[in-house]
């Protein structure tokens, strides 16, 4: 049973951050290149590109401002950021790179850092590992003399890089090198694979033959052993062009002094140990990185902590609950509340919890016009909830008009100081007014698409605000508008890339337009609580601009919208009545219905999935070449690399022939599988099994069954989700909470001390001032919860310790040896 439990342990990785800016980028070869440098930045896991910024025009100090977040679905050794100079007529030219080994990511986590760019040398761009076995044999010649031979077996390699987006054709050279010798041998070329199985044996003479009578046992002279090494180089066979170096390692023969047989995995290394040339003039790159690696145990281990957190809404007072304590401990870290919000959402406990913490906040709010304006636990929880639950709502409401604004790129500047030569302020004002009206209308007409959970929260906030400020007729609106307008729609308009409404950060001119629209929407959304009065503006030009909206009955439209999304009338969500684009992007698709395999059968297509259908198109915006109703999809699964000798492939099984798709990288493949899995998980015709390979040569390549209609040979992935919008892994979220609490054990202890002191201290309230950083209403109740938290955390830590006792042996597949190179 223990082995079964260990098999369910998962290592989950994620990376969040921002590519901020570069400065003083060095010149790129070519005349006048530095003056008109147009650059972009990419992110690579080892040598696989997983993210790319938009191109920044003509600057040696570009501000990229690109946020990124992705789950990392596979092991990796190095995270790299490359800056390229865009070229129209030739390949993009590398300017420099920043490479950070996985083990070093924790040094930079959560902080902004400047990194010096290093040169991009083809001989240093390596990845993967090689499995070797070495032994020393004695050899007796025909005349009776004894010699020593070194036998090297190259078994296999794993995770070799893609070459031009495709699997490589690798081979290895194996050499015995010393001060006065270099004997080299070569394996066969393995076609189209990143995980070649070589299984080839080579023999090298180590010492000169000597009389058998002089050596009754096999020995190797010390001086010979110290000077000899086995060198393994991996290459990609390019046929007509020069072969590409993939990586190398060196193993000293003296490792056989301790063991007669040496067998281990080695990480491939760059040539010359990645020696760096002078790179002072390449510039630097500012990055913010947060890398998280969670070891997720079996579900049963998390039950006590999960139950304690889910009991929080019922604890009186709410400040004594485990969930509130977590928020109190991590006041300064906004992202710390997210795993708790996810957990409460999944178990339908969010509304009672956030209602309780909102009531607590209102108890400390003296004026109605400051309601829910601070960065409190209640506002942080509701912000995170809206981002999770309201993702599709934003896409339906704002994405079409945001796309129009970004793609038409009309000038909207109305600040006289910022106007450019030739700008017409009246035309700009008219452009801005049209955009604002479109955004405002989209929002105020979207109440039927507002998710029921958001409506439940808004209804609760409205009720609490009216109860706390009964004399103020407008507080019922400001309690809701402070979230839905100020913290949801206005923020999404300002930074559409952060809400997945656009793939990249907008350029400065469009960003300025979105800023003006966002400021307008904030104020329009506040009118419902301002009794038909225009709020005071710092900018005169903004005041003049707002006058044009007074005759449009904006106040009534805002109030009507706020009434609809926070009324007591229960409604079903109509968010799925409209087609919502869940994901789209360029892929390689294998043509269906053809028998002959090869490059010609794979073509670039634009793949698009909505809540209704999956379609592919020749190019983005073109008419669909094929449409598959998502209700007809029976399975969405990974495809073995061996099927077409391609990585990152998946298949969509439906009533016709399977659709085989290759994603651009491992992150994209994982995203497609996740989105398609979500939207099809409730289909009645889902299969229980699937074929992980293709049908070719009259048989399924995975199970060799000759029937094209044979049932699959591997169980389908089980998808257990709460609903389409809430893809939540509760075990992982609870592990995150455990990690956060464990890393702040001293704060928990401080809170315990504060409770103990407040419970027994009878003098002046100076202790309360000393511990004012914590919210402690009932010291005894809070102390009891802290004790429960400590007990369940100690048990969970014990479960981690049990499973962490056995670390992977050095030289194993999971813990390869870092060898050296030439």
């Amino acid at each position: 049973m223990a082995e079964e439990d260990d098999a369910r342990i998962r290592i989950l990785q994620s990376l969040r951050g921002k590519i901020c800016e570069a400065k003083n980028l060095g010149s790129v070869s070519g005349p006048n290149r530095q003056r008109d440098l147009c650059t972009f930045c990419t992110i690579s896991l080892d040598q696989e590109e997983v993210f790319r910024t938009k191109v920044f025009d003509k600057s040696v100090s570009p501000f990229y401002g690109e946020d990124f977040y992705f789950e990392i679905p596979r092991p990796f050794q190095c995270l790299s950021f490359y800056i390229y100079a865009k070229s129209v007529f030739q390949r993009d030219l590398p300017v420099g790179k920043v490479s950070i080994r996985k083990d070093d990511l924790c040094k930079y986590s959560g902080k902004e850092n400047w990194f010096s760019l290093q040169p991009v040398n083809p001989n240093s761009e390596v990845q993967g590992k090689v499995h070797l076995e070495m032994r020393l044999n004695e050899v007796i010649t025909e005349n009776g003399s004894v010699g020593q031979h070194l036998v090297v077996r190259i078994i296999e390699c794993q995770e070799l890089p893609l070459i031009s987006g495709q699997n490589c054709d690798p081979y290895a050279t194996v050499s015995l090198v010393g001060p006065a010798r270099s004997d080299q041998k070569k394996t066969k070329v393995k076609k189209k694979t990143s995980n070649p199985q070589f299984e080839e044996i080579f023999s090298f003479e180590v010492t000169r033959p000597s009389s058998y009578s002089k050596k009754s046992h096999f020995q190797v002279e010390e001086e010979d052993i110290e000077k000899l090494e086995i060198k393994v180089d991996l290459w990609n066979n390019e046929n007509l062009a020069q072969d590409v170096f993939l990586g190398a390692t060196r193993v000293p023969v003296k490792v056989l002094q301790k063991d007669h047989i040496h067998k281990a995995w080695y990480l491939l290394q760059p040539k010359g140990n990645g020696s760096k040339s002078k790179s002072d003039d390449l510039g630097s790159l500012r990055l913010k990185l947060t890398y998280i690696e969670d070891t997720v145990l079996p579900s049963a281990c998390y039950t006590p902590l999960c139950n304690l957190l889910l009991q929080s809404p019922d604890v009186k007072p709410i400040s004594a609950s485990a969930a509130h304590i977590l928020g109190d401990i991590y006041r300064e870290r906004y992202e710390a509340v997210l795993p708790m919000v996810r957990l409460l959402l999944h178990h339908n406990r969010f509304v009672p919890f956030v209602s309780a913490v909102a009531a607590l906040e209102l108890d400390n709010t003296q004026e109605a016009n400051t309601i829910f304006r601070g960065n409190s636990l209640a506002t942080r929880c509701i912000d995170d909830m809206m981002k999770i639950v309201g993702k599709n709502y934003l896409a339906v409401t704002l994405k079409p008009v945001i796309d129009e604004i970004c793609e038409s790129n009309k000038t909207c500047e109305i600040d006289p100081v910022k106007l450019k030569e030739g700008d017409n302020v009246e035309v700009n004002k008219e452009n801005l007014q049209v955009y604002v009206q479109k955004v405002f209308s989209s929002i105020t007409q979207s109440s039927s698409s507002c998710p029921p959970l958001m409506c439940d929260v808004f209804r609760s906030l409205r009720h609490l605000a009216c109860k706390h400020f009964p004399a103020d007729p407008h507080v019922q609106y400001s309690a809701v508008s402070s979230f839905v307008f100020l913290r949801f729609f206005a923020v999404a308009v300002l930074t559409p890339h952060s809400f997945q409404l656009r793939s990249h950060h907008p350029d400065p001119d469009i960003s300025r337009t979105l800023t003006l629209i966002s400021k307008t929407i904030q104020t329009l959304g506040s009118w419902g609580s301002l009794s038909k009065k225009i709020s005071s503006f710092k900018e005169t030009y903004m005041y003049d601009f707002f006058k044009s909206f007074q005759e449009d009955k904006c106040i009534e439209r805002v109030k009507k919208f706020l009434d609809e999304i926070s009324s007591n009338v229960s409604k079903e969500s109509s968010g799925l009545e409209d087609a919502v684009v869940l994901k789209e992007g360029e892929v390689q698709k294998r043509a269906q219905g053809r028998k002959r395999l090869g490059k010609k059968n794979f073509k670039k297509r634009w793949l698009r999935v909505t809540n209704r259908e999956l379609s592919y198109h020749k190019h983005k915006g073109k008419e669909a070449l094929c449409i598959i109703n998502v209700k007809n999809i029976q399975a969405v699964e990974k495809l073995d690399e061996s099927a077409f000798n391609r990585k990152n492939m998946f298949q969509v099984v439906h009533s016709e022939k399977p659709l085989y798709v290759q994603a651009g990288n491992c992150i994209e493949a994982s995203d497609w599988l996740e989105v398609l899995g979500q939207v099809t998980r409730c289909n009645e015709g889902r299969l229980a099994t699937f074929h992980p390979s293709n049908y070719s040569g009259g048989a399924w390549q995975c199970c060799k069954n000759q029937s094209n209609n044979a049932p699959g040979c591997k169980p389908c992935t089980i998808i257990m989700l709460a609903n389409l919008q809430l893809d939540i892994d509760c075990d992982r979220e609870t592990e995150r909470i455990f990690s956060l609490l464990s890393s702040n054990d001293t704060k928990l202890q401080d809170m315990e001390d504060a409770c103990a002191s407040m419970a027994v201290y009878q003098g002046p309230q100076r202790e309360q001032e000393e511990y004012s950083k914590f919210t402690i209403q009932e010291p005894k109740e809070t102390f009891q919860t802290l004790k429960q938290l400590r007990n369940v955390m100690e048990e969970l830590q014990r479960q981690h310790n049990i499973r962490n006792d056995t670390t992977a042996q050095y030289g194993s597949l999971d813990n390869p040896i870092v060898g050296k190179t030439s």
Side-chain angles (χ1 to χ4, degrees):
M1 190 67 183
E3 291 181 5
E4 211 173 290
D5 279 353
D6 287 341
R8 289 157 57 200
I9 294 175
R10 297 173 291 149
I11 307 296
L12 301 179
Q13 311 168 97
S14 65
L15 184 71
R16 182 188 302 276
K18 186 171 189 174
I19 301 174
C20 304
E21 61 178 317
K23 67 179 180 181
N24 303 325
L25 295 180
S27 60
V28 179
S29 58
N32 301 319
R33 292 295 308 216
Q34 189 167 4
R35 185 170 46 191
D36 58 356
L37 200 63
C38 298
T39 62
F40 61 92
C41 185
T42 68
I43 304 176
S44 292
L45 294 173
D46 297 324
Q47 296 305 304
E48 182 180 18
E49 183 183 313
V50 296
F51 181 85
R52 177 179 290 214
T53 70
K54 61 190 295 186
V55 177
F56 199 98
D57 287 342
K58 299 182 180 179
S59 174
V60 294
S61 296
F63 182 84
Y64 298 111
E66 296 269 9
D67 297 299
F68 59 86
Y69 172 79
F70 46 81
E71 299 288 329
I72 301 176
R74 64 167 178 82
F76 72 101
Q77 301 169 29
C78 194
L79 177 71
S80 299
F81 298 81
Y82 293 83
I83 292 182
Y84 289 93
K86 188 69 178 174
S87 177
V88 178
F89 301 110
Q90 57 183 341
R91 291 182 62 182
D92 299 328
L93 301 172
V95 177
K97 70 174 182 177
V98 172
S99 290
I100 308 170
R101 295 201 68 83
K102 178 184 174 181
D103 295 340
D104 294 329
L105 281 172
C106 59
K107 298 178 185 177
Y108 310 106
S109 192
K111 299 174 291 185
E112 285 190 3
N113 294 275
W114 280 100
F115 297 87
S116 296
L117 292 175
Q118 303 298 324
V120 179
N121 180 346
N123 288 331
S124 69
E125 306 297 294
V126 304
Q127 71 176 67
K129 41 200 166 187
V130 59
H131 197 191
L132 302 174
E133 181 181 283
M134 295 165 50
R135 63 162 57 91
L136 285 164
N137 288 345
E138 64 177 1
V139 178
I140 304 174
T141 63
E142 292 181 357
N143 62 7
S145 61
V146 177
Q148 293 96 27
H149 280 203
L150 175 63
V151 179
V152 180
R153 175 179 164 224
I154 179 165
I155 304 169
E156 61 179 314
C157 289
Q158 285 199 6
E159 301 167 14
L160 296 180
L162 299 178
I163 303 295
S164 301
Q166 303 297 324
N167 285 331
C168 54
D169 295 334
Y171 69 90
T173 59
V174 183
S175 308
L176 179 65
V177 295
R181 62 188 297 179
S182 180
D183 303 330
Q184 185 180 96
K185 301 183 180 183
K186 177 182 171 182
T187 69
K188 295 177 181 177
V189 175
K190 298 295 180 179
K191 293 289 186 180
K192 303 299 178 187
T193 177
S194 295
N195 302 306
Q197 301 285 324
F198 290 111
E199 285 294 350
E200 294 195 40
I201 297 174
F202 303 102
S203 182
F204 300 91
E205 183 183 45
V206 176
T207 61
R208 295 177 180 177
S210 59
S211 170
Y212 189 81
S213 61
K214 291 182 181 179
K215 293 191 176 182
S216 57
H217 298 286
F218 170 65
Q219 295 177 340
V220 179
E221 297 176 13
E222 185 70 22
E223 59 269 25
D224 291 336
I225 280 287
E226 291 293 337
K227 297 174 183 177
L228 296 177
E229 290 181 322
I230 281 293
K231 179 186 175 188
V232 179
D233 293 272
L234 270 295
W235 300 86
N236 180 58
N237 181 41
E238 290 286 332
N239 291 323
L240 300 178
Q242 185 176 357
D243 292 349
V244 176
F245 175 76
L246 299 178
T249 190
R250 282 186 177 230
V251 184
V253 177
K254 66 181 180 181
V255 297
L256 292 170
Q257 288 177 320
K258 295 180 180 179
D259 300 306
H260 183 58
I261 298 178
H262 175 72
K263 185 177 181 181
W265 283 89
Y266 283 83
L267 283 177
L268 294 175
Q269 299 293 309
K271 278 187 180 179
N273 235 359
S275 58
K276 300 169 183 175
S277 59
K278 185 178 179 182
S279 57
D280 296 340
D281 58 347
L282 294 184
S284 53
L285 181 65
R286 182 163 62 93
L287 302 169
K288 184 176 182 180
L289 305 173
T290 299
Y291 170 73
I292 295 175
E293 182 178 289
D294 290 320
T295 302
V296 182
L297 305 178
S299 294
C301 298
Y302 297 106
T303 301
L305 179 55
C306 185
N307 287 342
L308 188 60
L309 291 161
L310 295 177
Q311 291 165 10
S312 296
D314 304 322
V315 175
K316 301 280 190 286
I318 192 66
S319 60
S321 69
H324 193 284
I325 288 171
L326 173 66
D328 227 15
I329 294 293
Y330 275 97
R331 285 187 189 183
E332 72 284 0
R333 286 185 58 181
Y334 194 90
E335 70 278 6
V337 174
L338 181 59
M340 181 182 71
V341 169
R342 288 179 174 275
L343 197 66
L344 292 168
L345 281 172
H346 183 85
H347 291 278
N348 297 317
R349 301 290 284 156
F350 180 79
V351 176
F353 176 75
V354 83
S355 298
V357 294
L360 177 60
E361 180 177 339
L362 284 173
D363 288 341
N364 298 313
T365 303
Q366 303 302 319
E367 298 181 14
N369 60 1
T370 62
I371 191 169
F372 301 128
R373 291 301 176 97
N375 185 26
S376 65
L377 179 58
T379 58
R380 287 153 64 198
C381 286
I382 296 172
D383 281 353
D384 282 338
M385 177 276 295
M386 292 191 297
K387 287 179 181 177
I388 297 167
V389 176
K391 183 178 178 181
N392 290 341
Y393 180 33
L394 280 177
V396 170
T397 307
L398 289 184
K399 192 174 190 327
V401 64
I402 293 292
D403 285 343
E404 179 187 342
I405 292 167
C406 293
E407 289 162 16
S408 61
N409 196 17
K410 292 181 180 178
T411 305
C412 296
E413 185 56 71
I414 59 174
D415 182 354
V417 177
K418 295 185 178 181
L419 287 172
K420 298 177 182 178
E421 187 177 350
D423 281 352
N424 185 318
V425 69
E426 292 303 320
V427 173
N428 291 359
K429 186 182 291 186
E430 186 177 333
N431 292 338
L432 182 59
Q433 190 169 12
V434 169
Y435 284 154
V436 170
Q437 289 287 10
K438 286 187 176 183
V439 173
F440 184 67
S441 296
S442 295
I443 293 171
T444 54
Q445 295 171 13
S446 70
S447 60
S448 63
S449 298
C450 186
L453 184 63
M454 288 176 63
C455 294
D456 290 342
V457 171
F458 297 151
R459 184 162 55 249
S460 176
L461 295 176
R462 182 173 182 166
H463 171 74
L464 289 168
C466 290
K467 183 179 178 182
H468 193 74
F469 296 104
D472 191 325
H474 304 293
V475 73
Q476 59 180 315
Y477 296 111
S478 59
V480 179
S481 66
S482 62
F483 286 103
V484 74
F485 276 101
L486 273 65
R487 294 175 177 268
F488 187 58
F489 285 121
V491 179
V493 170
L494 185 65
T495 57
H497 59 293
S498 298
F499 291 82
Q500 291 80 53
L501 298 177
R502 296 288 293 179
S503 57
H504 294 294
H505 183 79
D507 65 39
D509 289 340
I510 295 174
S511 184
R512 173 62 178 165
T513 298
L514 295 176
T515 299
L516 293 171
I517 296 171
S518 179
K519 292 174 73 171
T520 313
I521 292 300
Q522 285 186 52
T523 306
L524 288 172
S526 299
W527 277 6
S529 63
L530 294 177
S531 186
K532 299 186 179 182
K533 291 174 68 177
I534 301 177
S535 58
S536 58
F537 299 105
K538 295 178 182 178
E539 310 96 335
T540 304
Y541 63 87
M542 288 300 290
Y543 179 86
D544 294 337
F545 177 70
F546 274 105
K547 287 181 181 178
S548 60
F549 290 95
Q550 292 186 59
E551 300 175 1
D552 200 23
K553 298 183 180 180
C554 292
I555 297 172
E556 287 73 15
R557 291 168 67 185
V558 169
K559 286 184 175 180
K560 181 175 182 293
F561 170 69
L562 295 174
D563 281 334
E564 289 170 347
I565 63 173
S566 60
S567 66
N568 289 321
V569 180
S570 178
K571 71 179 183 69
E572 292 296 322
S573 171
S574 60
L576 294 182
E577 291 177 2
D578 299 312
V580 179
V581 178
L582 302 176
K583 183 173 176 60
E584 58 182 337
E586 190 175 80
V587 298
Q588 292 274 348
K589 183 199 72 70
R590 183 182 177 243
Q592 300 182 76
R594 298 187 181 183
K595 295 181 180 179
R596 188 168 57 86
L597 302 181
K599 277 188 176 180
K600 293 181 180 178
N601 285 339
F602 280 88
K603 293 185 177 180
K604 286 184 180 180
R605 291 291 181 258
W606 188 263
L607 194 65
R608 188 172 187 260
V609 60
T610 72
N611 51 297
R612 292 177 177 176
E613 60 192 28
L614 173 68
S615 59
Y616 58 82
H617 314 247
K618 191 168 185 179
H619 301 290
K620 182 180 180 180
K622 295 292 185 181
E623 191 174 332
L625 299 175
C626 175
I627 298 175
I628 302 169
N629 192 316
V630 294
K631 292 182 179 180
N632 296 333
I633 295 176
Q634 300 167 324
V636 183
E637 298 289 344
K638 290 181 180 179
L639 200 66
D640 284 351
E641 181 183 328
S642 59
F644 298 103
N645 285 322
R646 289 174 177 241
K647 281 188 171 183
N648 305 320
M649 287 204 66
F650 63 92
Q651 57 181 316
V652 179
V653 183
H654 57 109
S655 52
E656 304 296 327
K657 293 184 178 181
L659 176 66
Y660 296 123
V661 179
Q662 183 185 26
N665 55 61
C666 64
I667 304 296
E668 282 291 302
S670 180
D671 286 349
W672 281 113
L673 285 165
E674 180 182 350
V675 170
L676 287 166
Q678 288 178 34
V679 78
T680 63
R681 75 197 183 288
C682 295
N683 287 356
E684 293 182 3
R686 281 191 68 90
L687 299 176
T689 58
F690 75 103
H691 290 286
S693 192
N694 62 319
Y695 187 83
S696 175
W700 289 101
Q701 297 306 299
C702 42
C703 59
K704 305 306 178 186
N705 194 311
Q706 296 183 359
S707 172
N708 194 13
N709 299 318
C713 55
K714 185 176 180 180
C716 284
T717 304
I718 299 173
I719 302 172
M720 298 172 61
L721 304 177
N723 57 55
L724 179 63
Q725 295 172 327
L726 306 183
D727 174 17
I728 294 170
D729 183 340
C730 290
D731 293 342
R732 185 183 194 177
E733 303 304 337
T734 312
E735 172 61 30
R736 278 275 78 230
I737 292 169
F738 166 70
S739 297
L740 290 166
L741 290 171
S742 298
S743 65
N744 264 268
D745 187 67
T746 54
K747 284 191 177 181
L748 288 173
Q749 186 60 56
D750 288 345
M751 201 172 188
E752 275 192 37
D753 294 342
C755 291
S757 177
M758 293 171 66
V760 301
Y761 188 69
Q762 301 299 319
Q765 292 297 310
R766 61 183 179 83
E767 258 71 14
Q768 179 61 36
E769 292 179 9
E770 185 178 343
Y771 298 120
S772 61
K773 55 187 175 182
F774 303 122
T775 305
I776 303 174
Q777 293 174 290
E778 293 288 342
K780 291 182 179 179
E781 288 290 333
T782 308
F783 186 83
Q784 184 65 30
T785 303
L786 285 164
K787 281 296 184 186
Q788 290 177 286
L789 262 177
R790 193 171 292 282
N791 289 338
V792 298
M793 287 170 61
E794 285 175 357
E795 175 58 25
L796 194 46
Q797 185 60 58
R798 191 180 71 83
Q799 295 292 338
H800 272 285
N801 293 341
I802 291 171
R803 291 163 173 82
N804 289 340
D805 281 345
T806 54
T807 55
Q809 182 180 354
Y810 191 48
S812 65
L813 177 60
D814 295 326
N815 190 15
I817 297 170
V818 180
K820 63 177 184 175
T821 61
S822 56

